[in-house]
Amino acid sequence: TQKLRTSRSLYVSMSVIIIYNPESDSGQRIAAAGAESWYEPLADEAVNLGRTDPDQDPLGYRTLFMIELASRYYDDASNLTDQILQENQLYPETALLSQFETGSIDAAIAYRNMAVERGYEYIELPDQINLSNPQYVDGWYATTSYTLPSGQQIQGGLISYGSTIRHMSDAAVAVFDGHTTGNYLTDHGFILREQFPVYTGDIPQPIRRITEDQSDDTRSQLTRSTTVQSPDITGITVLI
């Protein structure tokens, strides 16, 4: 507890996975293929796959990174981007889950916590392609990239989530303690490796810059917000 009282930030990692409908024929084919050959049924036009738009959502471009890495990782796979991805697969994240739950799509590319929290069946992908392992960031994940319509280039990297206490108080520490100890993180699909969770004693510079450089009105809005996104942050940062 004392460690948490002197720590202001924590980071954990997340992975990309394949969720599937076990009641559909296509979903059963994906389940049978498993982590070794999940891409084979997805390349079949009979499988209705959903994903988010890379121009609108980080999961969207992380999907592209995963598919590109998979094309290199599997011996019998090549150019999976052309084989698997189609324009009619794109949905906003909330619509993606709705389409999956109503059976309109057989499978979707999602974050692991989305599957765990909702009880979806899913394929756990190898660390080499799921963007969750710090070991593979340099020289592997980082070899992928995507250019947004704005011209900003996003480089492949670790998917990380962070929790930051902006103003130390007993109430904030209690929330932080509840979110970062016990089984909370694993129960919600986060991945705890030897390197994680990582605790730091200062508010990260990107968060400090975002909150300190805003007007009073904007800062008030940020205080009430649960997420802040920045090119300098690889995942989602929760402000407490």
Side-chain angles (χ1 to χ4, degrees):
T1 302
Q2 184 61 35
K3 181 178 181 180
L4 291 173
R5 287 188 176 276
T6 59
S7 299
R8 291 179 178 268
S9 302
L10 167 142
Y11 295 94
V12 292
S13 66
M14 182 56 61
S15 64
V16 172
I17 50 89
I18 310 292
I19 59 176
Y20 63 88
N21 180 358
E23 297 182 0
S24 71
D25 291 341
S26 296
Q28 291 171 18
R29 288 178 57 202
I30 294 170
E36 296 77 18
S37 55
W38 53 270
Y39 51 89
E40 292 180 354
L42 290 189
D44 187 337
E45 294 184 0
V47 176
N48 294 318
L49 176 68
R51 59 190 175 96
T52 60
D53 188 342
D55 292 339
Q56 302 294 329
D57 183 76
L59 176 57
Y61 55 70
R62 287 167 175 158
T63 294
L64 303 186
F65 298 159
M66 184 275 287
I67 295 293
E68 182 178 339
L69 293 172
S71 296
R72 305 182 213 163
Y73 174 72
Y74 294 101
D75 292 334
D76 59 346
S78 63
N79 200 16
L80 292 178
T81 298
D82 287 346
Q83 294 185 54
I84 293 177
L85 303 183
Q86 302 174 26
E87 288 297 319
N88 63 5
Q89 298 166 340
L90 301 179
Y91 300 93
E93 185 174 298
T94 52
L96 177 72
L97 298 181
S98 297
Q99 292 290 313
F100 179 73
E101 291 182 352
T102 59
S104 298
I105 56 177
D106 303 306
I109 300 175
Y111 291 129
R112 189 175 189 270
N113 64 318
M114 294 164 65
V116 171
E117 290 175 352
R118 295 168 176 82
Y120 298 154
E121 298 290 335
Y122 65 96
I123 300 294
E124 192 91 70
L125 301 175
D127 285 353
Q128 289 87 341
I129 68 174
N130 69 13
L131 306 176
S132 75
N133 194 327
Q135 175 183 344
Y136 298 108
V137 173
D138 296 330
W140 186 240
Y141 295 168
T143 61
T144 60
S145 65
Y146 183 74
T147 302
L148 298 172
S150 65
Q152 178 186 359
Q153 185 178 67
I154 306 294
Q155 188 174 36
L158 187 73
I159 304 173
S160 63
Y161 281 54
S163 180
T164 295
I165 301 179
R166 294 179 59 210
H167 304 292
M168 295 297 287
S169 69
D170 289 343
V173 170
V175 173
F176 192 82
D177 180 63
H179 285 177
T180 61
T181 59
N183 297 324
Y184 181 89
L185 293 171
T186 54
D187 286 349
H188 286 78
F190 293 94
I191 300 172
L192 302 186
R193 302 183 183 279
E194 183 179 347
Q195 302 96 327
F196 290 105
V198 173
Y199 294 92
T200 63
D202 298 313
I203 298 176
Q205 187 59 36
I207 298 300
R208 187 184 302 276
R209 187 163 59 246
I210 289 170
T211 57
E212 291 181 355
D213 291 349
Q214 307 296 326
S215 65
D216 290 341
D217 287 343
T218 304
R219 188 177 304 152
S220 177
Q221 293 172 10
L222 284 171
T223 303
R224 294 193 299 271
S225 176
T226 58
T227 63
V228 173
Q229 291 184 312
S230 162
D232 299 309
I233 305 171
T234 58
I236 295 176
T237 299
V238 179
L239 303 181
I240 298 176

